[in-house]
Amino acid sequence: MATYLTPALAWQRLREGNQRFVAGTASHPNQDASRRSSLVENQHPFAVIFGCSDSRLAAEIIFDLGLGDAFVVRTAGHVIDDAVLGSLEYSISELDVPLIVVLGHDNCGAVTATKAAVETGQMPVGFIRSLVERITPSVLTSLRNNQNDIHDMVIENVKQSSQRVVDSSRVISGAIDGGRAAVVGVAYSLADGRADLVSSIGRL
C-alpha cells in the first residue's frame, strides 16, 4: 500500500520516531513477519535517508522505523557521487518518495580528517583522499566564517550536500519545484540521540 505522504507529513513522522528513540520509548514498528511478507512484491518507503556511514548513525533505529519505511543511502561524510545521485533519483522517480533527508552527525570522522588535511596540507592516501576532497569546500566555508568547531563544519557539510543534491539532479529539483518532494538537512547528536533540522529546500 502506497503512503502518499506530503514532504511535511513525512518529516513529521520522522520527527515523531526520533522523539520516541530519544525518550527510550521506541515502538520498533513494521518489523514482524507479516510486514516482511507484505513487502515481497513491492515497496513504498515514505523517506529516503542519505546519511553518513558511521556505525552510530543507523537510520532505521534513530527514527524508530521498520522494514519498507525508509530508502537508505550511506557514504562516509555523506559525500555525493554518481551512484548516490542515481539511488536518490530512483527513490524520487520510481518510488515516489516525498522526502530526502541528508543526515550528518557530530564527531564525524570524515569531517575531522578533512579539517586536519586543510590545516596541515597533508592529504590522506588511497580513496580516503576522494572523501576529503569532496568535504573540503564545507570545511573552507566554515573557516572563512570563523567557525572552527567540527560541529559547525558538520552542519555546513550537511547544508552543502543538500544543496548539491538539488543542483546536480534535474529529477530531484523538478520534484521539488512541483511540490512533490523536499530535501532536509539534519544534524544528529551522538550523545542524546536528537536529530535536528538545520536546512530545508522545498515546501515543508
Side-chain angles (χ1 to χ4, degrees):
M1 198 176 95
T3 50
Y4 302 118
L5 291 180
T6 62
L9 285 172
W11 173 236
Q12 181 183 332
R13 192 163 158 190
L14 288 177
R15 259 200 342 264
E16 290 168 353
N18 181 243
Q19 286 164 359
R20 291 193 301 272
F21 172 70
V22 169
T25 57
S27 59
H28 309 290
N30 299 328
Q31 296 181 20
D32 58 9
S34 65
R35 175 67 166 184
R36 188 176 69 232
S37 300
S38 74
L39 293 167
V40 171
E41 298 299 331
N42 51 49
Q43 59 171 322
H44 300 286
F46 70 89
V48 53
I49 300 170
F50 170 39
C52 181
S53 298
D54 194 294
S55 63
R56 300 164 291 182
L57 198 68
E60 289 92 345
I61 295 175
I62 70 172
F63 290 112
D64 193 24
L65 303 173
L67 297 172
D69 289 335
F71 190 84
V72 180
V73 182
R74 297 174 73 179
T75 62
H78 51 79
V79 301
I80 297 164
D81 61 16
D82 289 354
V84 167
L85 288 170
S87 300
L88 296 179
E89 287 189 349
Y90 177 81
S91 73
I92 294 290
S93 62
E94 299 298 320
L95 302 177
D96 297 318
V97 173
L99 186 70
I100 295 175
V101 178
V102 178
L103 181 64
H105 65 98
D106 52 1
N107 294 327
C108 178
V111 176
T112 302
T114 304
K115 180 175 188 264
V118 167
E119 289 175 346
T120 64
Q122 296 289 312
M123 288 295 281
V125 297
F127 285 97
I128 298 174
R129 179 183 182 124
S130 176
L131 298 175
V132 165
E133 286 172 347
R134 290 164 196 257
I135 297 171
T136 293
S138 299
V139 170
L140 291 176
T141 299
S142 293
L143 292 173
R144 204 161 48 239
N145 294 333
N146 294 316
Q147 295 176 321
N148 302 311
D149 187 69
I150 288 291
H151 188 57
D152 293 325
M153 294 174 180
V154 163
I155 291 174
E156 182 62 35
N157 193 39
V158 167
K159 290 177 178 177
Q160 289 200 17
S161 292
S162 300
Q163 191 61 55
R164 204 168 298 132
V165 163
V166 178
D167 291 345
S168 301
S169 169
R170 249 184 228 167
V171 169
I172 295 169
S173 61
I176 291 170
D177 291 344
R180 298 189 312 279
V183 176
V184 295
V186 172
Y188 177 78
S189 167
L190 294 174
D192 64 23
R194 274 191 24 223
D196 292 322
L197 186 73
V198 296
S199 68
S200 65
I201 304 168
R203 288 198 294 279
L204 260 196

mmCIF file of all heavy atoms in Angstrom, residues 77-111:
data_model
loop_
_atom_site.group_PDB
_atom_site.id
_atom_site.type_symbol
_atom_site.label_atom_id
_atom_site.label_comp_id
_atom_site.label_asym_id
_atom_site.label_seq_id
_atom_site.Cartn_x
_atom_site.Cartn_y
_atom_site.Cartn_z
ATOM 1 N N GLY A 77 30.821 10.574 5.489
ATOM 2 C CA GLY A 77 30.676 12.018 5.331
ATOM 3 C C GLY A 77 29.556 12.402 4.384
ATOM 4 O O GLY A 77 29.508 13.533 3.913
ATOM 5 N N HIS A 78 28.640 11.462 4.107
ATOM 6 C CA HIS A 78 27.572 11.620 3.109
ATOM 7 C C HIS A 78 28.067 12.378 1.878
ATOM 8 O O HIS A 78 27.466 13.351 1.430
ATOM 9 C CB HIS A 78 26.279 12.235 3.690
ATOM 10 C CG HIS A 78 26.464 13.506 4.487
ATOM 11 N ND1 HIS A 78 26.647 14.731 3.904
ATOM 12 C CD2 HIS A 78 26.512 13.716 5.814
ATOM 13 C CE1 HIS A 78 26.788 15.648 4.841
ATOM 14 N NE2 HIS A 78 26.703 15.052 6.006
ATOM 15 N N VAL A 79 29.207 11.913 1.328
ATOM 16 C CA VAL A 79 29.704 12.529 0.103
ATOM 17 C C VAL A 79 28.916 11.990 -1.088
ATOM 18 O O VAL A 79 28.438 10.854 -1.081
ATOM 19 C CB VAL A 79 31.221 12.300 -0.103
ATOM 20 C CG1 VAL A 79 32.023 12.865 1.050
ATOM 21 C CG2 VAL A 79 31.540 10.842 -0.325
ATOM 22 N N ILE A 80 28.784 12.826 -2.096
ATOM 23 C CA ILE A 80 27.929 12.537 -3.237
ATOM 24 C C ILE A 80 28.754 12.071 -4.432
ATOM 25 O O ILE A 80 29.788 12.668 -4.753
ATOM 26 C CB ILE A 80 27.131 13.802 -3.622
ATOM 27 C CG1 ILE A 80 26.209 14.193 -2.465
ATOM 28 C CG2 ILE A 80 26.333 13.597 -4.898
ATOM 29 C CD1 ILE A 80 25.674 15.593 -2.564
ATOM 30 N N ASP A 81 28.311 10.991 -5.072
ATOM 31 C CA ASP A 81 28.877 10.571 -6.351
ATOM 32 C C ASP A 81 27.730 10.149 -7.266
ATOM 33 O O ASP A 81 26.552 10.297 -6.910
ATOM 34 C CB ASP A 81 29.915 9.457 -6.172
ATOM 35 C CG ASP A 81 29.337 8.196 -5.539
ATOM 36 O OD1 ASP A 81 28.098 8.040 -5.509
ATOM 37 O OD2 ASP A 81 30.126 7.357 -5.076
ATOM 38 N N ASP A 82 28.058 9.635 -8.447
ATOM 39 C CA ASP A 82 27.004 9.281 -9.406
ATOM 40 C C ASP A 82 26.082 8.185 -8.870
ATOM 41 O O ASP A 82 24.872 8.198 -9.135
ATOM 42 C CB ASP A 82 27.627 8.811 -10.729
ATOM 43 C CG ASP A 82 28.259 9.961 -11.505
ATOM 44 O OD1 ASP A 82 28.106 11.124 -11.069
ATOM 45 O OD2 ASP A 82 28.915 9.699 -12.531
ATOM 46 N N ALA A 83 26.651 7.239 -8.140
ATOM 47 C CA ALA A 83 25.833 6.143 -7.599
ATOM 48 C C ALA A 83 24.846 6.676 -6.558
ATOM 49 O O ALA A 83 23.690 6.232 -6.499
ATOM 50 C CB ALA A 83 26.728 5.066 -6.982
ATOM 51 N N VAL A 84 25.288 7.621 -5.745
ATOM 52 C CA VAL A 84 24.395 8.240 -4.762
ATOM 53 C C VAL A 84 23.262 8.972 -5.471
ATOM 54 O O VAL A 84 22.088 8.801 -5.151
ATOM 55 C CB VAL A 84 25.176 9.217 -3.854
ATOM 56 C CG1 VAL A 84 24.217 10.110 -3.052
ATOM 57 C CG2 VAL A 84 26.087 8.459 -2.906
ATOM 58 N N LEU A 85 23.615 9.787 -6.458
ATOM 59 C CA LEU A 85 22.591 10.545 -7.179
ATOM 60 C C LEU A 85 21.614 9.618 -7.895
ATOM 61 O O LEU A 85 20.405 9.852 -7.904
ATOM 62 C CB LEU A 85 23.246 11.507 -8.179
ATOM 63 C CG LEU A 85 23.948 12.717 -7.546
ATOM 64 C CD1 LEU A 85 24.756 13.461 -8.595
ATOM 65 C CD2 LEU A 85 22.942 13.654 -6.877
ATOM 66 N N GLY A 86 22.136 8.541 -8.481
ATOM 67 C CA GLY A 86 21.264 7.565 -9.135
ATOM 68 C C GLY A 86 20.309 6.922 -8.146
ATOM 69 O O GLY A 86 19.121 6.727 -8.443
ATOM 70 N N SER A 87 20.806 6.603 -6.964
ATOM 71 C CA SER A 87 19.970 5.994 -5.928
ATOM 72 C C SER A 87 18.887 6.966 -5.460
ATOM 73 O O SER A 87 17.722 6.585 -5.276
ATOM 74 C CB SER A 87 20.831 5.572 -4.729
ATOM 75 O OG SER A 87 21.812 4.631 -5.114
ATOM 76 N N LEU A 88 19.259 8.233 -5.273
ATOM 77 C CA LEU A 88 18.292 9.238 -4.836
ATOM 78 C C LEU A 88 17.250 9.490 -5.925
ATOM 79 O O LEU A 88 16.050 9.611 -5.632
ATOM 80 C CB LEU A 88 19.006 10.541 -4.466
ATOM 81 C CG LEU A 88 19.979 10.476 -3.280
ATOM 82 C CD1 LEU A 88 20.623 11.838 -3.056
ATOM 83 C CD2 LEU A 88 19.298 9.998 -2.009
ATOM 84 N N GLU A 89 17.701 9.560 -7.176
ATOM 85 C CA GLU A 89 16.754 9.762 -8.280
ATOM 86 C C GLU A 89 15.796 8.585 -8.400
ATOM 87 O O GLU A 89 14.612 8.772 -8.683
ATOM 88 C CB GLU A 89 17.511 9.978 -9.595
ATOM 89 C CG GLU A 89 18.172 11.343 -9.693
ATOM 90 C CD GLU A 89 18.723 11.627 -11.076
ATOM 91 O OE1 GLU A 89 18.783 10.701 -11.916
ATOM 92 O OE2 GLU A 89 19.099 12.793 -11.332
ATOM 93 N N TYR A 90 16.294 7.376 -8.188
ATOM 94 C CA TYR A 90 15.435 6.191 -8.228
ATOM 95 C C TYR A 90 14.332 6.312 -7.174
ATOM 96 O O TYR A 90 13.159 6.022 -7.437
ATOM 97 C CB TYR A 90 16.255 4.926 -8.001
ATOM 98 C CG TYR A 90 15.422 3.665 -7.952
ATOM 99 C CD1 TYR A 90 14.996 3.042 -9.120
ATOM 100 C CD2 TYR A 90 15.034 3.108 -6.728
ATOM 101 C CE1 TYR A 90 14.211 1.897 -9.079
ATOM 102 C CE2 TYR A 90 14.255 1.966 -6.674
ATOM 103 C CZ TYR A 90 13.853 1.361 -7.856
ATOM 104 O OH TYR A 90 13.073 0.238 -7.805
ATOM 105 N N SER A 91 14.711 6.739 -5.980
ATOM 106 C CA SER A 91 13.723 6.833 -4.897
ATOM 107 C C SER A 91 12.645 7.865 -5.222
ATOM 108 O O SER A 91 11.478 7.687 -4.885
ATOM 109 C CB SER A 91 14.401 7.187 -3.569
ATOM 110 O OG SER A 91 14.824 8.546 -3.549
ATOM 111 N N ILE A 92 13.035 8.939 -5.892
ATOM 112 C CA ILE A 92 12.086 10.002 -6.229
ATOM 113 C C ILE A 92 11.216 9.623 -7.434
ATOM 114 O O ILE A 92 9.992 9.762 -7.414
ATOM 115 C CB ILE A 92 12.837 11.322 -6.524
ATOM 116 C CG1 ILE A 92 13.541 11.846 -5.262
ATOM 117 C CG2 ILE A 92 11.899 12.374 -7.105
ATOM 118 C CD1 ILE A 92 12.630 12.356 -4.179
ATOM 119 N N SER A 93 11.873 9.135 -8.499
ATOM 120 C CA SER A 93 11.147 8.918 -9.758
ATOM 121 C C SER A 93 10.412 7.580 -9.815
ATOM 122 O O SER A 93 9.332 7.488 -10.395
ATOM 123 C CB SER A 93 12.102 9.026 -10.943
ATOM 124 O OG SER A 93 13.098 8.025 -10.877
ATOM 125 N N GLU A 94 10.979 6.542 -9.197
ATOM 126 C CA GLU A 94 10.361 5.216 -9.273
ATOM 127 C C GLU A 94 9.516 4.872 -8.047
ATOM 128 O O GLU A 94 8.525 4.171 -8.137
ATOM 129 C CB GLU A 94 11.444 4.139 -9.461
ATOM 130 C CG GLU A 94 12.257 4.289 -10.735
ATOM 131 C CD GLU A 94 11.416 4.157 -11.988
ATOM 132 O OE1 GLU A 94 10.516 3.283 -12.012
ATOM 133 O OE2 GLU A 94 11.637 4.929 -12.939
ATOM 134 N N LEU A 95 9.939 5.347 -6.884
ATOM 135 C CA LEU A 95 9.244 5.000 -5.641
ATOM 136 C C LEU A 95 8.368 6.137 -5.109
ATOM 137 O O LEU A 95 7.670 5.966 -4.113
ATOM 138 C CB LEU A 95 10.266 4.599 -4.563
ATOM 139 C CG LEU A 95 11.181 3.415 -4.915
ATOM 140 C CD1 LEU A 95 12.189 3.174 -3.794
ATOM 141 C CD2 LEU A 95 10.367 2.151 -5.191
ATOM 142 N N ASP A 96 8.440 7.298 -5.769
ATOM 143 C CA ASP A 96 7.620 8.461 -5.375
ATOM 144 C C ASP A 96 7.827 8.872 -3.918
ATOM 145 O O ASP A 96 6.884 9.278 -3.223
ATOM 146 C CB ASP A 96 6.127 8.186 -5.607
ATOM 147 C CG ASP A 96 5.806 7.970 -7.075
ATOM 148 O OD1 ASP A 96 6.354 8.713 -7.908
ATOM 149 O OD2 ASP A 96 5.027 7.045 -7.386
ATOM 150 N N VAL A 97 9.050 8.781 -3.454
ATOM 151 C CA VAL A 97 9.347 9.188 -2.081
ATOM 152 C C VAL A 97 9.266 10.720 -1.987
ATOM 153 O O VAL A 97 9.839 11.418 -2.820
ATOM 154 C CB VAL A 97 10.755 8.700 -1.669
ATOM 155 C CG1 VAL A 97 11.142 9.256 -0.309
ATOM 156 C CG2 VAL A 97 10.804 7.184 -1.644
ATOM 157 N N PRO A 98 8.562 11.255 -0.988
ATOM 158 C CA PRO A 98 8.367 12.703 -0.917
ATOM 159 C C PRO A 98 9.468 13.481 -0.187
ATOM 160 O O PRO A 98 9.485 14.710 -0.250
ATOM 161 C CB PRO A 98 7.051 12.828 -0.142
ATOM 162 C CG PRO A 98 7.050 11.640 0.769
ATOM 163 C CD PRO A 98 7.718 10.537 -0.003
ATOM 164 N N LEU A 99 10.370 12.778 0.508
ATOM 165 C CA LEU A 99 11.336 13.497 1.342
ATOM 166 C C LEU A 99 12.718 12.860 1.280
ATOM 167 O O LEU A 99 12.862 11.655 1.467
ATOM 168 C CB LEU A 99 10.857 13.508 2.804
ATOM 169 C CG LEU A 99 11.697 14.342 3.780
ATOM 170 C CD1 LEU A 99 11.533 15.838 3.493
ATOM 171 C CD2 LEU A 99 11.319 14.035 5.226
ATOM 172 N N ILE A 100 13.730 13.701 1.004
ATOM 173 C CA ILE A 100 15.127 13.273 1.107
ATOM 174 C C ILE A 100 15.719 13.912 2.356
ATOM 175 O O ILE A 100 15.650 15.129 2.533
ATOM 176 C CB ILE A 100 15.948 13.704 -0.126
ATOM 177 C CG1 ILE A 100 15.455 12.994 -1.387
ATOM 178 C CG2 ILE A 100 17.441 13.424 0.091
ATOM 179 C CD1 ILE A 100 16.141 13.466 -2.668
ATOM 180 N N VAL A 101 16.295 13.098 3.223
ATOM 181 C CA VAL A 101 16.957 13.585 4.429
ATOM 182 C C VAL A 101 18.466 13.407 4.249
ATOM 183 O O VAL A 101 18.938 12.302 3.992
ATOM 184 C CB VAL A 101 16.510 12.789 5.677
ATOM 185 C CG1 VAL A 101 17.253 13.277 6.924
ATOM 186 C CG2 VAL A 101 15.007 12.898 5.871
ATOM 187 N N VAL A 102 19.213 14.503 4.349
ATOM 188 C CA VAL A 102 20.673 14.424 4.361
ATOM 189 C C VAL A 102 21.090 14.460 5.827
ATOM 190 O O VAL A 102 20.838 15.439 6.529
ATOM 191 C CB VAL A 102 21.316 15.578 3.561
ATOM 192 C CG1 VAL A 102 22.842 15.486 3.631
ATOM 193 C CG2 VAL A 102 20.848 15.532 2.107
ATOM 194 N N LEU A 103 21.701 13.367 6.288
ATOM 195 C CA LEU A 103 21.907 13.160 7.718
ATOM 196 C C LEU A 103 23.391 13.150 8.085
ATOM 197 O O LEU A 103 24.142 12.263 7.687
ATOM 198 C CB LEU A 103 21.267 11.813 8.109
ATOM 199 C CG LEU A 103 21.337 11.380 9.562
ATOM 200 C CD1 LEU A 103 20.567 12.345 10.467
ATOM 201 C CD2 LEU A 103 20.779 9.958 9.702
ATOM 202 N N GLY A 104 23.795 14.172 8.842
ATOM 203 C CA GLY A 104 25.155 14.241 9.362
ATOM 204 C C GLY A 104 25.140 14.105 10.880
ATOM 205 O O GLY A 104 24.071 14.022 11.490
ATOM 206 N N HIS A 105 26.310 14.099 11.481
ATOM 207 C CA HIS A 105 26.374 13.916 12.943
ATOM 208 C C HIS A 105 27.633 14.540 13.518
ATOM 209 O O HIS A 105 28.630 14.729 12.814
ATOM 210 C CB HIS A 105 26.351 12.423 13.282
ATOM 211 C CG HIS A 105 27.560 11.690 12.776
ATOM 212 N ND1 HIS A 105 28.651 11.409 13.572
ATOM 213 C CD2 HIS A 105 27.859 11.203 11.546
ATOM 214 C CE1 HIS A 105 29.557 10.774 12.846
ATOM 215 N NE2 HIS A 105 29.108 10.647 11.617
ATOM 216 N N ASP A 106 27.597 14.849 14.817
ATOM 217 C CA ASP A 106 28.772 15.411 15.474
ATOM 218 C C ASP A 106 29.890 14.357 15.577
ATOM 219 O O ASP A 106 29.649 13.164 15.451
ATOM 220 C CB ASP A 106 28.410 15.973 16.857
ATOM 221 C CG ASP A 106 27.670 14.985 17.747
ATOM 222 O OD1 ASP A 106 27.436 13.839 17.325
ATOM 223 O OD2 ASP A 106 27.312 15.363 18.876
ATOM 224 N N ASN A 107 31.107 14.843 15.769
ATOM 225 C CA ASN A 107 32.296 13.971 15.845
ATOM 226 C C ASN A 107 32.468 13.096 14.604
ATOM 227 O O ASN A 107 32.900 11.944 14.698
ATOM 228 C CB ASN A 107 32.242 13.077 17.099
ATOM 229 C CG ASN A 107 32.329 13.882 18.380
ATOM 230 O OD1 ASN A 107 32.991 14.915 18.417
ATOM 231 N ND2 ASN A 107 31.645 13.439 19.414
ATOM 232 N N CYS A 108 32.119 13.638 13.434
ATOM 233 C CA CYS A 108 32.227 12.878 12.187
ATOM 234 C C CYS A 108 33.702 12.701 11.810
ATOM 235 O O CYS A 108 34.443 13.683 11.681
ATOM 236 C CB CYS A 108 31.489 13.612 11.068
ATOM 237 S SG CYS A 108 31.593 12.791 9.466
ATOM 238 N N GLY A 109 34.112 11.458 11.629
ATOM 239 C CA GLY A 109 35.500 11.160 11.301
ATOM 240 C C GLY A 109 35.930 11.723 9.960
ATOM 241 O O GLY A 109 37.059 12.195 9.804
ATOM 242 N N ALA A 110 35.033 11.686 8.980
ATOM 243 C CA ALA A 110 35.374 12.187 7.645
ATOM 244 C C ALA A 110 35.590 13.700 7.664
ATOM 245 O O ALA A 110 36.519 14.210 7.024
ATOM 246 C CB ALA A 110 34.269 11.818 6.656
ATOM 247 N N VAL A 111 34.758 14.415 8.407
ATOM 248 C CA VAL A 111 34.919 15.865 8.511
ATOM 249 C C VAL A 111 36.172 16.203 9.320
ATOM 250 O O VAL A 111 36.919 17.123 8.977
ATOM 251 C CB VAL A 111 33.663 16.515 9.132
ATOM 252 C CG1 VAL A 111 33.874 18.014 9.341
ATOM 253 C CG2 VAL A 111 32.447 16.278 8.242
#
